[in-house]
Amino acid sequence: MSGAEPAQGTREARAAVLRVVGEPVAIEDLVVAEPRAGEVRVRMLASGVCHSDLHVRDGEWPRPTPIAMGHEGAGVVEAVGPGVERLHVGQPVALSWLVPCGVCRACRAGRPWACPDSPSFRHRMPDGATVLATRDGEPVLSYCGIGTMGAAAVVPEAAAIAMPDGVDPAVAALIGCCVSTGVGAVVKTAVVPAGASVAVIGLGGVGLSCVMGAALAQASRIIAVDRVEAKLAIARSVGATDGLLASDDRGQTVAALRDMTDGGPDFIFEAIGRVDTVELAIEALPLGGTAVLVGMTPFEARASFAVYPLVDGSRRILGSNYGFADPPVDFPRYAALHLDGRLPIDRLIDRRIGLDDVEAAFDRLRSGDGLRQVVVFD
Ligand SMILES: NC(=O)c1ccc[n+]([C@@H]2O[C@H](COP(=O)([O-])OP(=O)(O)OC[C@H]3O[C@@H](n4cnc5c(N)ncnc54)[C@H](O)[C@@H]3O)[C@@H](O)[C@H]2O)c1
Ligand SMILES: [Zn+2]
Ligand SMILES: [Zn+2]
């Protein structure tokens, strides 16, 4: 402790901070600012560990440091800045990692998920301010403007989406990233019609959410594909009709998918972010089929596909960021579907851990061991 008393309105919070990419995150005590106009301070209750955090931790995406990690979080509003009227102290919220700029071409066209100018991507508040600092006064960035792997966060009011009562904070956290991404890829990006056949490649939080979305959309056949056998059973428990263990030989997986669906699934979701599975998803499409790319590769990755059959067979490749989420509309919808028993999000969570276990959680994610891990704060 530097000896100085915290400034009025600030508080301290333990947080997972990335200082050097490729090296372990440090658990540090940070000073969290008092919320200013248009900001709220959230007492974090849960933060999911998403593979995107691992991409950042491992240096696969360029990001500035030092930065408080985490972008899949939920908690309770504990303080509001001047002029904040939509939220009150005590309100449960889930956090959005993309606050649209509101003025760019994508925003004006009603596609906030495609906003390239979101202040969230600068990992600061919209006016450029940082809201976290070490006890010595060194500024610390907040990942996507929300930095959820900390006991408290100051966020733009627009990033805090009110949740209905009765939603487990861990479930609300997952709605903030993997659920919106996966369910939305199915029901908003691809708009899968009832009766279509679907395959989902990769069964982490995102892929299992694609499976839940396909069940919600009443797909006739939902084939869940992973290289870890245990994931196939959990996929069945959230709506998959079939499980397929991915073969090291891509041709075999393609052949199996074709066999199971009379020539290939109508929709294939890639939810890993590997070039070979992206190419697999495109290769296994039937005439008129659609590959939906949800997994994110390292920044520089390139994939290739045979052009002639894509054109000749009227096949499609779609990219889906954040499941085309409009968080103020979609988060409460997904929460309501969960409360109705139609999105069994709780089954995606297999470990509740403390902040000190974040590095171990990253190791498990790298090896494909387990499901969604959630950091819980008390
Ligand atoms: N598009 C978006 O907006 C968005 C949002 C969130 C996450 N993502 C991305 O989605 C991807 C998945 O995230 P997650 O948190 O679910 O990851 P995860 O690590 O929990 O899940 C990945 C799954 O893929 C499986 N897998 C790995 N290699 C495989 C292979 N060769 N064949 C078959 N299965 C294989 C693993 O066993 C694991 O079950 C990441 O790239 C993440 O960055 C994208
Ligand atoms: Zn995520
Ligand atoms: Zn915009």
Side-chain angles (χ1 to χ4, degrees):
M1 182 92 210
S2 61
E5 283 297 309
Q8 204 189 357
T10 66
R11 62 106 101 194
E12 291 207 341
R14 292 181 83 221
V17 179
L18 182 68
R19 292 198 160 266
V20 182
V21 292
E23 290 191 8
V25 295
I27 307 304
E28 299 185 11
D29 287 311
L30 298 181
V31 178
V32 184
E34 179 173 18
R36 303 168 305 157
E39 297 172 353
V40 300
R41 195 168 68 214
V42 176
R43 180 163 70 86
M44 211 65 73
L45 295 174
S47 174
V49 184
C50 175
H51 205 110
S52 299
D53 299 310
L54 186 57
H55 287 300
V56 173
R57 146 75 175 78
D58 286 348
E60 291 177 348
W61 301 344
R63 293 290 184 270
T65 56
I67 191 164
M69 298 287 286
H71 64 280
E72 186 177 83
V76 172
V77 174
E78 69 171 15
V80 301
V84 171
E85 285 174 359
R86 199 175 47 78
L87 295 167
H88 57 85
V89 171
Q91 172 69 54
V93 291
L95 299 183
S96 162
W97 54 254
L98 199 166
V99 171
C101 79
V103 295
C104 75
R105 176 173 167 174
C107 284
R108 283 186 277 116
R111 293 194 286 269
W113 54 84
C115 175
D117 295 324
S118 165
S120 312
F121 301 153
R122 294 189 284 277
H123 314 291
R124 296 166 177 271
M125 296 300 103
D127 66 354
T130 52
V131 289
L132 302 173
T134 63
R135 287 172 170 175
D136 298 330
E138 177 196 16
V140 174
L141 300 162
S142 311
Y143 189 64
C144 287
I146 56 177
T148 57
M149 288 185 186
V154 166
V155 305
E157 178 186 7
I161 312 298
M163 284 282 103
D165 288 338
V167 181
D168 173 359
V171 165
L174 268 53
I175 289 174
C177 186
C178 68
V179 168
S180 293
T181 298
V183 175
V186 176
V187 304
K188 298 195 72 178
T189 306
V191 199
V192 168
S197 53
V198 167
V200 179
I201 307 172
L203 303 172
V206 174
L208 289 170
S209 296
C210 292
V211 170
M212 289 193 300
L216 198 63
Q218 296 183 298
S220 58
R221 203 73 192 268
I222 305 170
I223 304 170
V225 185
D226 203 285
R227 64 177 178 189
V228 177
E229 181 135 32
K231 304 262 174 136
L232 308 182
I234 179 79
R236 279 204 180 83
S237 85
V238 298
T241 58
D242 304 82
L244 175 63
L245 195 60
S247 164
D248 287 339
D249 172 0
R250 178 160 118 200
Q252 267 189 32
T253 308
V254 170
L257 285 172
R258 287 193 180 135
D259 275 358
M260 293 166 91
T261 52
D262 190 23
D266 296 315
F267 293 86
I268 304 184
F269 294 83
E270 200 280 352
I272 307 168
R274 291 174 54 96
V275 171
D276 61 337
T277 42
V278 166
E279 293 177 347
L280 187 164
I282 298 167
E283 201 176 315
L285 291 177
L287 296 172
T290 304
V292 186
L293 308 186
V294 187
M296 309 270 282
T297 63
F299 210 60
E300 309 292 344
R302 302 181 77 86
S304 69
F305 59 90
V307 178
Y308 192 94
L310 191 100
V311 180
D312 184 57
S314 299
R315 293 169 169 92
R316 303 187 301 164
I317 304 171
L318 308 178
S320 180
N321 193 42
Y322 215 170
F324 285 15
D326 184 1
V329 176
D330 293 321
F331 284 15
R333 264 190 203 165
Y334 297 143
L337 285 165
H338 170 67
L339 291 172
D340 270 3
R342 290 196 284 166
L343 279 183
I345 300 169
D346 47 303
R347 289 192 205 149
L348 272 48
I349 300 165
D350 72 338
R351 262 195 192 90
R352 294 177 193 244
I353 61 173
L355 254 190
D356 295 311
D357 284 333
V358 166
E359 275 297 321
F362 285 150
D363 288 340
R364 284 190 285 264
L365 209 51
R366 252 186 233 103
S367 66
D369 169 27
L371 305 173
R372 207 53 154 196
Q373 307 173 78
V374 179
V375 179
V376 290
F377 303 90
D378 30 58

